Amino acid sequence: MANSDSKGTGRLVHLRVKRQDGPDLPETKRWEEFKVPYLPQMNVISALQQVQKEPRTVDGKDVAPVVWESSCLEEVCGACTMVINGRVRQACSALVDQIAPNGEVIQVEPMTKFPLVRDLIVDRERMFQDMKKVKAWIDIDGTHELGPGPRESPEAQQERYPLSRCMTCGCCVEACPQYNDSTQFVGPFALNLVRLFNMHPSGALHKNARLETVMGEGGVQDCGKAQNCVEVCPKEIPLVDSIAQVSRDATKRLLFGWLLK
């Protein structure tokens, strides 16, 4: 049966939040529980917003508001990634009616693969550095008018579009057993971006340079083929297909690259 508030006027949402006051304050690591009024179409972000309005735990203790990161609230920016009930996902699309239809406790934790900033906020800088490492952009000379871009068939555009939906949310690397502090693995998202930009007519001009960045340590050979990434990707990007394609291209480059020099 769903929880009710003390006055019996309606349903309550029960949150259990893992908190820590700062990256250098491990002694402040703790769990805190909150109950907030249920709202129609409520998601985890809106539940946290209710906590922010009145940050009082279930045992009546006034505490500092829970800190998290979010922006678009429509699964586009990728900022609100959290571990919710043991599964990494976007908090904005985690609907209370789906994850706790009968008033179950909703457990919320920060991602574990990145340095903690505070409470539910982590520093995803490693992901952006890995994007630089694999040259996830298209080089153009912006000093003069280049004219229209290269023409592409609708089929090519349709193939590349799903790959472009990556929002650097971190879900894939949180679920990846090969992505951790002891490895330099760039992760599924970065390998997908290598495939994406190598498929672009202009991006293909630097295809070999991108492949060479993922042929060494931390590259595609570090993938353990767990396929967890494709299970948790909120944008349903075919990450396993991208990793396989980049692996094939890297192998060809390794075996026959000398012919191209």
Side-chain angles (χ1 to χ4, degrees):
M1 181 178 297
N3 292 321
S4 299
D5 60 24
S6 59
K7 297 180 181 180
T9 57
R11 172 181 171 187
L12 293 178
V13 177
H14 191 168
L15 294 176
R16 184 169 187 259
V17 184
K18 190 173 187 179
R19 307 194 62 180
Q20 184 172 324
D21 294 343
D24 301 321
L25 299 170
E27 69 276 7
T28 65
K29 186 178 299 183
R30 64 199 183 277
W31 289 95
E32 290 181 351
E33 297 190 28
F34 306 89
K35 288 185 178 181
V36 298
Y38 169 82
L39 300 172
Q41 306 302 318
M42 196 176 206
N43 58 16
V44 170
I45 292 294
S46 55
L48 288 171
Q49 289 173 334
Q50 293 298 311
V51 172
Q52 192 175 50
K53 287 170 58 179
E54 190 175 356
R56 182 176 295 117
T57 64
V58 292
D59 55 5
K61 181 181 178 182
D62 290 327
V63 296
V66 177
V67 179
W68 75 93
E69 188 176 20
S70 64
S71 182
C72 71
L73 301 181
E74 53 185 2
E75 205 176 74
V76 174
C77 71
C80 67
T81 311
M82 305 173 191
V83 178
I84 301 173
N85 289 345
R87 180 185 175 89
V88 64
R89 59 184 302 171
Q90 295 286 282
C92 63
S93 57
L95 300 180
V96 170
D97 286 338
Q98 294 178 357
I99 62 178
N102 299 308
E104 298 90 343
V105 176
I106 301 174
Q107 184 164 292
V108 185
E109 307 170 65
M111 286 192 286
T112 63
K113 300 297 180 74
F114 303 101
L116 181 71
V117 176
R118 182 178 175 183
D119 289 348
L120 302 173
I121 298 180
V122 296
D123 183 358
R124 292 177 292 152
E125 176 66 19
R126 176 176 170 179
M127 295 187 73
F128 304 115
Q129 292 301 323
D130 286 337
M131 291 174 70
K132 294 179 182 179
K133 182 177 180 180
V134 302
K135 307 182 189 303
W137 63 80
I138 295 174
D139 287 294
I140 59 172
D141 184 348
T143 61
H144 62 280
E145 175 60 44
L146 299 177
R151 296 186 62 184
E152 293 186 74
S153 68
E155 292 76 16
Q157 296 176 25
Q158 186 174 8
E159 182 181 7
R160 205 171 70 244
Y161 174 71
L163 313 181
S164 71
R165 287 163 54 87
C166 178
M167 52 188 179
T168 327
C169 65
C171 285
C172 64
V173 295
E174 175 68 22
C176 177
Q178 271 68 47
Y179 193 94
N180 52 60
D181 291 339
S182 61
T183 73
Q184 297 183 34
F185 184 42
V186 294
F189 81 100
L191 296 175
N192 174 72
L193 292 176
V194 170
R195 181 189 180 195
L196 170 65
F197 288 104
N198 281 356
M199 290 174 64
H200 189 279
S202 297
L205 296 174
H206 300 90
K207 177 178 181 178
N208 291 334
R210 289 194 192 89
L211 290 176
E212 288 171 3
T213 64
V214 296
M215 287 166 58
E217 184 178 2
V220 68
Q221 79 279 356
D222 286 3
C223 174
K225 311 297 190 297
Q227 302 189 26
N228 292 357
C229 54
V230 76
E231 294 294 332
V232 299
C233 178
K235 310 309 286 187
E236 300 182 342
I237 299 170
L239 295 169
V240 173
D241 292 345
S242 291
I243 293 170
Q245 183 61 57
V246 171
S247 180
R248 287 191 293 268
D249 291 344
T251 300
K252 292 177 183 177
R253 179 66 182 167
L254 180 65
L255 295 175
F256 307 112
W258 61 275
L259 292 173
L260 305 175
K261 292 182 180 179

